Amino acid sequence: MIIYIFIIFLLLCLSLKFDFKGTTKKRDSWGYFALVLLILLAGFRGDIGNDTIVYHRWYDFLSTNIGASIRDSRFEPLFVICCCLAKSIGCSWLVVQLLIAAWINYYMFSFIRRYCSMLFLPLLLYFISMFYFLNCEELRGAIGFGFILMGLPYI
C-alpha cells in the first residue's frame, strides 16, 4: 500500500513542478523514471488481480504447441500465441507479466507525451483510474489497447 501512496505523491509533486510551474529541466528524465516505476510495479506485482491468478494457472499448464493451445484455449489467439512463444523460450509467468506491463505502459506513456501538453498530471490520472484495471485485471484487453494506442498516429 505504501508504494501506491509513494507513486501518487511522486506524480503529484512532479506534476506541480513540471506541469504547472513550467520547469523543463530534467522533465524527460523524470518522465522515463515514472514510466519505469509503473512498469516495474505492474510487472512484479505477483498474483494481484482475479484474472491474473487464472492466467498464471493457465500458463503453468500451457503447451508450447501453438495450434493445440489455440484450439484448446478459451482465450484470444494472439494472447495464446504470445504466451506459447514466451513459454517455448523458457520465460516464466513473471517475465510474461513484465512484458505485458511494459507493452501497455510504454504505449500509454507515448500517447500522453504525444497528445497532452502536460505529462505528469495525465500519468497521475492514469495511475489512479486505469492502471489497476489494465495491468492487473484485463491483461488480454491491455494488449489490444496497446495496439490501439500504437496505431493512433497512423489514423
Side-chain angles (χ1 to χ4, degrees):
M1 184 68 161
I2 295 295
I3 187 72
Y4 296 107
I5 294 170
F6 170 74
I7 292 174
I8 289 171
F9 182 73
L10 176 70
L11 289 174
L12 187 61
C13 290
L14 291 173
S15 177
L16 291 173
K17 180 177 181 172
F18 294 109
D19 294 340
F20 292 106
K21 286 187 180 178
T23 307
T24 58
K25 187 177 181 182
K26 297 191 178 188
R27 178 181 184 256
D28 288 338
S29 299
W30 278 106
Y32 286 115
F33 175 74
L35 171 65
V36 169
L37 195 62
L38 293 179
I39 290 171
L40 292 177
L41 178 65
F44 293 115
R45 73 182 179 277
D47 283 339
I48 296 176
N50 294 332
D51 288 351
T52 301
I53 297 168
V54 173
Y55 299 146
H56 190 176
R57 287 184 186 149
W58 170 80
Y59 186 81
D60 287 341
F61 296 106
L62 180 67
S63 167
T64 56
N65 182 341
I66 294 175
S69 295
I70 290 174
R71 185 182 63 246
D72 297 338
S73 178
R74 60 188 174 128
F75 300 129
E76 289 82 6
L78 181 62
F79 182 72
V80 175
I81 290 169
C82 291
C83 288
C84 282
L85 290 175
K87 188 149 190 173
S88 68
I89 60 172
C91 295
S92 68
W93 173 247
L94 181 69
V95 174
V96 173
Q97 202 168 272
L98 191 63
L99 290 173
I100 293 171
W103 172 264
I104 184 59
N105 288 306
Y106 171 76
Y107 283 110
M108 181 61 77
F109 181 78
S110 298
F111 174 81
I112 290 170
R113 283 193 68 196
R114 180 174 293 203
Y115 295 108
C116 298
S117 61
M118 297 180 177
L119 178 61
F120 297 102
L121 183 62
L123 276 176
L124 176 64
L125 294 175
Y126 163 65
F127 183 72
I128 291 171
S129 63
M130 297 277 302
F131 181 82
Y132 178 79
F133 178 72
L134 287 176
N135 288 284
C136 299
E137 288 293 330
E138 287 294 323
L139 294 181
R140 296 175 295 147
I143 294 171
F145 192 64
F147 276 112
I148 290 170
L149 292 175
M150 181 177 70
L152 273 178
Y154 305 106
I155 293 178

